[in-house]
Amino acid sequence: MTATGTPEPLDTPSRLPHADAVRLEGRMPLDWVDTITPASALADVMIDNTTLLRALLMLDDPRAGVDTEHGRNDAIQQLERRIDLLLIMASTALRGMNTIPEERPCVLSARYLHWGSEEAVGVGRRVWARIYLRHRIALPLMLPGQIVEESVENDLLWHRLQIEPLDEALQNDLERFIFRHHRRQIARQRSGL
């Protein structure tokens, strides 16, 4: 992680598909579960995902709260997003679910999540990947999907999760977040040359 909390680029599988050209790479805490329990919590998980991504977008860029239609900064909206994020984190901690998993090399794109581990998950298996985008924020982005490929490279078993379709607003927030961090990684790589 860099000083700003963004993941460092890393060696990733050489066979990543072209569709993953815009991606977020780094070592991030990640684990996976088979199901969300209870099943009725699915809607809440997606709302938490939206809150998390919008809060991260706002924290990454203070201008994210600008109302582009009216050209004004909505400080109340920014405050609400921060409060929502804090409430979700507090309730997660109270439920005892805030144990941060092991860091793994990860590549997140809008449609796929790749990660390396020592254990097999199983091609065809449907899982929920829990990826912590910021170490300081003990709340994971939870992505449902199916393992479509597993391959060995660089002494790790790389898993490729095809992310299930998300609702449009959540998908847009995910794409914005990934694009913003991808652009920053490219800029850091260029400045290091």
Side-chain angles (χ1 to χ4, degrees):
M1 283 285 195
T2 64
T4 61
T6 57
E8 296 279 352
L10 48 92
D11 291 331
T12 55
S14 57
R15 298 177 295 107
L16 287 179
H18 180 68
D20 288 344
V22 176
R23 59 193 188 206
L24 171 62
E25 298 181 32
R27 292 191 62 82
M28 293 175 267
L30 179 140
D31 65 0
W32 57 92
V33 294
D34 288 320
T35 59
I36 300 295
T37 307
S40 61
L42 177 61
D44 291 339
V45 167
M46 292 304 169
I47 290 169
D48 290 354
N49 279 343
T50 299
T51 300
L52 173 66
L53 285 171
R54 289 187 178 168
L56 290 174
L57 285 165
M58 180 199 62
L59 293 171
D60 284 345
D61 184 1
R63 296 173 295 137
V66 172
D67 183 340
T68 54
E69 210 173 284
H70 300 99
R72 64 181 172 83
N73 189 341
D74 193 345
I76 293 174
Q77 183 181 34
Q78 288 185 11
L79 182 60
E80 286 175 350
R81 286 185 182 156
R82 289 178 188 203
I83 290 171
D84 287 346
L85 182 62
L86 288 171
L87 288 173
I88 292 169
M89 289 172 58
S91 65
T92 301
L94 288 173
R95 289 192 308 259
M97 297 176 58
N98 65 338
T99 303
I100 303 295
E102 176 183 343
E103 282 189 7
R104 304 175 191 281
C106 303
V107 179
L108 176 62
S109 71
R111 305 280 179 223
Y112 293 96
L113 171 62
H114 304 261
W115 74 91
S117 74
E118 294 76 28
E119 59 186 286
V121 178
V123 173
R125 184 172 165 193
R126 184 181 185 278
V127 297
W128 284 83
R130 300 186 296 191
I131 183 169
Y132 292 77
L133 300 170
R134 289 266 183 92
H135 287 79
R136 295 178 309 154
I137 298 177
L139 184 69
L141 179 66
M142 298 190 64
L143 298 171
Q146 185 173 22
I147 302 295
V148 294
E149 181 183 359
E150 287 185 335
S151 60
V152 176
E153 192 162 330
N154 300 331
D155 298 327
L156 285 176
L157 182 58
W158 282 87
H159 315 280
R160 183 172 182 223
L161 177 84
Q162 182 173 4
I163 299 169
E164 291 180 2
L166 305 170
D167 75 42
E168 186 177 354
L170 180 55
Q171 186 67 44
N172 288 339
D173 288 341
L174 178 61
E175 289 174 9
R176 284 178 53 217
F177 180 81
I178 292 168
F179 178 76
R180 183 174 293 168
H181 284 273
H182 174 78
R183 192 176 59 201
R184 288 179 184 167
Q185 286 178 333
I186 296 296
R188 280 195 306 272
Q189 288 171 355
R190 286 184 181 160
S191 66
L193 294 176

